[in-house]
Amino acid sequence: MQINNYLNRLEGNYLFTEIVNRTQAYQAEHPEAEVLRLGVGDITLPLPAVITDAMHRAVDDLSHAETFRGYGPELGYEWLRRKIIDHDYAPRGIRFTLDEVFISDGAGSDLGNLSELFAPGGRVAILDPSYPAYIDTSRMAGREIVYLPCTRENGFVPAVPDEPVDIIYLCFPNNPTGTMLTREQLRPWVDYALRHKAIIIYDAAYEGFIDNPELPHSIYEVQGADRCAIEVRSYSKTAGFTAVRCGYTVVPRATGLNAMWKRRQCTKFNGASYISQRGAEAVYTPEGQAAIRANLSHYKATARLLREGLQALGYEVFGGEHAPYIWCRVPEGYTSWSYFDYLLHEARIVCTPGAGFGESGEGYVRFSAFSARENCEKALKRLKNLA
Ligand code: PLP
């Protein structure tokens, strides 16, 4: 038996384990200290009642003979796929048929699984810094990675690769830098992909954070993207589903990959749970929309508070406008990890060291707005006292 050595050789998930270890070590030495956690990218507000009520009803459905259901359709229930098409795409002039939308158990699974559509090996372009899953998934498949540096100098908007690649992972609004692209800035990526017959895997997990109506909510707002892009979305950050697990992926027929993905899903995925899909359906009701907008407004307000508060203290900050993340330059003389330690020890604040997201993340830390306003206010006060 030969094991997958690419998988075997992956480093451990150093970033988050190391953050937890350092925080726990500090907490063990200072059990009385109130540590403010502004590092993690997990939602903090409870699910709106309109969504949990829908899931309760779904549980009840399963307990009565008349409404009981077994396996659902592998692609997801039609009533949810119809809502996605009508609500998330049609108003922006994008048309998909039901069989182009695949309900998932969250973006994480599909971002990894989509790799199976492509032959082993090949070259993948990945933004640096980036959400770690794209890199790990590509390494597991033995692909060569072309890193595209996102720096202060290029406004965290990298240029398209100057060499041919097969797959491109894009994520906007971006984790960790909080950058958002305009339609004009997305255009060259679609042109590149069409020219090189590459596929863009567009991670729009933070789409709900886009405020400005001029900004593209979907890569399909760029003409031709239906021929070269797969879009991955999630209810996790938009609607608070990180524990529930539900999202969706659009694989347009025009990519030539739709039938393959369908075949793959029908074999390897028996569908997202009925309960979570009923929860997702409730997101599209008027009450659901109002409730998720209220939660998103809360996170956006804390992002603004952090962004403006940090700026007022003299930090150079980016993002935080169309994303829950604030990308903050560390003061002269620090690395991202040494500044992490400094903040933990001197201000009892946990952030995420930028270097953990890739080489170009060195010199930055990420603050997350998934936190109570009160915590952010306290953190800013502590930072002010450091100055
Ligand atoms: N994509 C990005 C950029 C993320 O930051 C995350 C989670 O933090 C995910 C995908 C995974 O989301 P899900 O909960 O839908 O698996």
Side-chain angles (χ1 to χ4, degrees):
M1 186 269 298
Q2 281 205 324
I3 57 165
N4 177 355
N5 257 324
Y6 293 120
L7 183 51
N8 191 34
R9 284 191 217 115
L10 279 184
E11 301 119 38
N13 191 349
Y14 170 73
L15 176 62
F16 292 102
T17 317
E18 190 61 22
I19 291 173
V20 169
N21 290 347
R22 291 192 194 195
T23 308
Q24 279 175 352
Y26 175 80
Q27 199 89 72
E29 274 173 39
H30 307 87
E32 76 302 336
E34 183 202 28
V35 174
L36 302 173
R37 288 164 212 275
L38 297 179
V40 287
D42 197 357
I43 51 130
T44 47
L45 293 174
L47 280 163
V50 54
I51 293 169
T52 50
D53 286 349
M55 292 198 285
H56 280 297
R57 284 195 300 276
V59 172
D60 290 340
D61 284 348
L62 299 182
S63 68
H64 295 106
E66 316 79 63
T67 47
F68 169 77
R69 290 158 195 257
Y71 287 118
E74 289 92 345
L75 272 61
Y77 286 99
E78 277 195 26
W79 32 260
L80 180 55
R81 286 186 286 142
R82 172 60 57 204
K83 287 270 175 352
I84 291 165
I85 290 170
D86 292 348
H87 182 279
D88 294 348
Y89 290 104
R92 307 191 77 83
I94 304 161
R95 310 248 166 262
F96 286 119
T97 53
L98 276 175
D99 59 355
E100 293 177 291
V101 177
F102 297 75
I103 307 299
S104 70
D105 59 357
S109 316
D110 277 4
L111 285 167
N113 294 336
L114 284 163
S115 182
E116 290 180 23
L117 286 173
F118 311 101
R123 290 149 71 82
V124 189
I126 298 180
L127 309 187
D128 170 26
S130 90
Y131 177 61
Y134 320 134
I135 298 172
D136 285 353
T137 299
S138 304
R139 287 199 181 137
M140 285 177 200
R143 305 195 201 285
E144 186 189 333
I145 301 178
V146 175
Y147 290 100
L148 307 173
C150 301
T151 60
R152 185 164 61 142
E153 289 66 35
N154 62 20
F156 305 98
V157 182
V160 294
D162 53 11
E163 53 193 311
V165 300
D166 306 291
I167 306 166
I168 303 165
Y169 281 96
L170 294 181
C171 171
F172 294 107
N174 188 262
N175 177 11
T177 67
T179 311
M180 184 57 211
L181 294 196
T182 63
R183 224 168 274 125
E184 294 65 40
Q185 287 172 315
L186 269 183
R187 171 92 253 163
W189 295 91
V190 171
D191 289 345
Y192 172 94
L194 291 173
R195 200 166 54 247
H196 291 277
K197 297 194 174 13
I199 282 287
I200 296 172
I201 298 179
Y202 193 75
D203 182 351
Y206 295 93
E207 174 272 336
F209 285 82
I210 302 171
D211 259 340
N212 181 342
E214 293 305 311
L215 292 171
H217 287 239
S218 162
I219 190 155
Y220 302 119
E221 290 182 42
V222 178
Q223 221 195 349
D226 61 329
R227 287 184 278 135
C228 64
I230 292 174
E231 183 159 289
V232 180
R233 290 209 194 174
S234 170
Y235 297 102
S236 284
K237 310 298 163 82
T238 326
F241 274 51
T242 53
V244 179
R245 310 309 304 146
C246 197
Y248 64 88
T249 293
V250 178
V251 185
R253 282 174 175 278
T255 57
L257 299 168
N258 178 277
M260 276 171 63
W261 183 242
K262 185 175 177 188
R263 186 71 186 82
R264 188 262 173 216
Q265 290 296 83
C266 289
T267 301
K268 294 203 182 179
F269 184 57
N270 272 344
S273 92
Y274 172 66
I275 300 161
S276 53
Q277 291 188 71
R278 281 295 187 202
E281 185 191 30
V283 167
Y284 295 100
T285 59
E287 305 77 44
Q289 284 295 296
I292 67 158
R293 290 287 144 220
N295 284 4
L296 285 167
S297 295
H298 162 82
Y299 295 131
K300 283 183 206 164
T302 46
R304 195 175 323 117
L305 176 79
L306 278 175
R307 182 186 158 88
E308 291 173 2
L310 288 164
Q311 257 167 351
L313 292 173
Y315 288 91
E316 196 180 356
V317 296
F318 305 91
E321 277 180 294
H322 307 289
Y325 301 122
I326 292 98
W327 192 236
C328 177
R329 218 171 144 73
V330 303
E332 270 311 300
Y334 286 96
T335 63
S336 36
W337 274 108
S338 70
Y339 202 59
F340 168 90
D341 286 333
Y342 174 73
L343 289 187
L344 177 61
H345 287 262
E346 302 304 321
R348 289 137 14 247
I349 294 171
V350 179
C351 58
T352 309
F357 296 101
E359 236 173 71
S360 300
E362 182 50 270
Y364 294 87
V365 289
R366 188 193 75 175
F367 290 102
S368 164
F370 289 119
S371 188
R373 187 176 178 88
E374 186 197 356
N375 270 357
C376 298
E377 280 165 352
K378 259 190 212 165
L380 288 169
K381 256 195 215 129
R382 290 184 192 176
L383 291 173
K384 189 171 179 190
N385 291 339
L386 285 180

